[in-house]
Amino acid sequence: MKKGIHAKYNGSVEVDCICGNKFEVAAATDGPIKVESCPACHPTYTGKQETKVVKGRMEKFLERQKKIDQINKSN
């Protein structure tokens, strides 16, 4: 093992989730680590699926295309 090229390994780093859950992990980075999902809030672990209605890429593209077509027709 070469000296000076490996990251310092921290045995206990705090992880903060946006759901409010906090836990500790071992990592090679300094803490705290902020994450968007964790085992306490992720649907795979909890079994609860949230349905969010959002527009996909195609719907957004079609809306922009309609605006462009209207501008072209008016010119």
Side-chain angles (χ1 to χ4, degrees):
M1 194 163 160
K2 292 185 179 180
K3 293 183 179 183
I5 63 168
H6 297 285
K8 180 185 169 198
Y9 188 73
N10 299 320
S12 181
V13 176
E14 186 175 294
V15 178
D16 295 331
C17 183
I18 60 172
C19 72
N21 188 28
K22 294 182 180 186
F23 56 96
E24 292 185 356
V25 296
T29 183
D30 295 330
I33 300 171
K34 300 191 184 280
V35 295
E36 294 179 0
S37 64
C38 67
C41 63
H42 194 276
T44 302
Y45 296 106
T46 61
K48 298 177 185 174
Q49 182 69 32
E50 291 183 17
T51 306
K52 295 181 181 177
V53 179
V54 293
K55 292 183 181 178
R57 288 182 179 180
M58 197 64 197
E59 288 85 5
K60 290 178 183 178
F61 172 77
L62 292 174
E63 285 180 1
R64 286 193 303 262
Q65 201 64 34
K66 284 181 186 177
K67 289 179 184 178
I68 292 170
D69 291 340
Q70 290 175 352
I71 292 170
N72 289 339
K73 286 181 184 178
S74 65
N75 289 336

